[in-house]
Amino acid sequence: LHDAELARDYDASLTGLALASFDVRFAESVFDRPGRLIDLGCGTGRLLLPFAARGYWVLGVDLSEEMLKQVGAKAAAAGVTVHRLKANLVDLSAIADQSFDYATCLFSTLGMIVGAAERKRAVQHVHRILRPGGKFVVHVHNRWFEIWNPQGRKRLVGDLLRRIFRREPAGDRLMPVHQGIAGLTLHLFTRREICRLLRDAGFGIRAIQPLSLDPEARLRYPGFFGFARSYGYLIAAERRG
Ligand SMILES: C[S@@+](CC[C@H](N)C(=O)[O-])C[C@H]1O[C@@H](n2cnc3c(N)ncnc32)[C@H](O)[C@@H]1O
């Protein structure tokens, strides 16, 4: 959160990653007319800038001041207005009820929140701050994709055993050291789990886009064992009236 270098290098670390443009296009297809958009865990604002340029009123929320500084610098350079708020996604009480038309939480940011109860609180806040009919685009990693590597298969079996014998929740993964960061936990979702989390908070599911690691990012033939072949999901949800 306090690492300026990490924030400075963040955009470069996404170079060549198909998902980084595919998710913006997906959000553009869901958020069809200008309105108020909030990006939760906005990082350096890669989603916010194109929407601001198209006339949306945009707010980026992040816990990292360094990330928010990058957003400010990029917005100034591009000549667009991007509002910024330093806050924890688990407590968005600073934001008024029904004050946004659109919300996003991309690049597995929801999975960075540790604990099922905290993730639930975050999603409940998203529901609260969207107007009825407001749209939410969220990205998660698919837990079943772990089946394709031996270590992943061990983790899936470990999940199962911990669930049966200790009644512990499944899907939390300690990530390997990445850009000098150790000890980061990421929650991997099943499709059913993320859909249930959204529905329980009061969202209807409008579209689910299974993802792949291919250059086009979208999973082909999702009907063919898509539950295991999907690297992750982009989901469009709508706040029910
Ligand atoms: C993986 S990055 C994704 C950034 C951006 N959404 C994107 O798609 O490029 C996750 C971002 O979420 C922020 N973040 C993680 N947990 C957070 C939390 N509980 N509250 C607010 N921001 C958080 C991090 O600081 C980081 O900028």
Side-chain angles (χ1 to χ4, degrees), residues 142-153 156 213 219 224-231:
N142 176 23
R143 191 186 311 157
W144 286 112
F145 193 76
E146 292 224 288
I147 211 160
W148 302 111
N149 76 73
Q151 290 305 320
R153 284 196 287 276
L156 287 173
L213 284 170
L219 183 75
F224 183 69
F225 293 104
F227 83 94
R229 290 173 49 242
S230 301
Y231 183 55

Side-chain angles (χ1 to χ4, degrees), residues 160-179:
L160 188 69
L161 297 177
R162 272 192 302 278
R163 238 184 134 138
I164 294 173
F165 294 110
R166 295 201 215 144
R167 293 180 183 274
E168 281 177 5
D172 288 348
R173 300 286 180 265
L174 188 64
M175 301 309 286
V177 178
H178 176 64
Q179 292 186 301

Side-chain angles (χ1 to χ4, degrees), residues 1 6-7 10-11 14 20 23-24 39-47 61-65 67-68 85-92 104-114 122 139 184 186:
L1 287 177
L6 184 87
Y10 180 77
D11 286 349
L14 302 183
D23 59 2
V24 176
D39 187 18
L40 301 158
C42 63
T44 55
R46 66 183 180 85
L47 178 101
V61 179
D62 207 288
L63 256 183
S64 161
E65 225 162 275
M67 287 290 189
L68 292 173
L85 174 70
K86 183 180 167 187
N88 193 330
L89 304 186
V90 174
D91 181 7
L92 294 176
T104 46
C105 190
L106 297 181
F107 233 64
S108 204
T109 300
L110 185 62
M112 290 177 75
I113 298 176
V114 180
H139 166 263
L184 186 74
L186 189 68

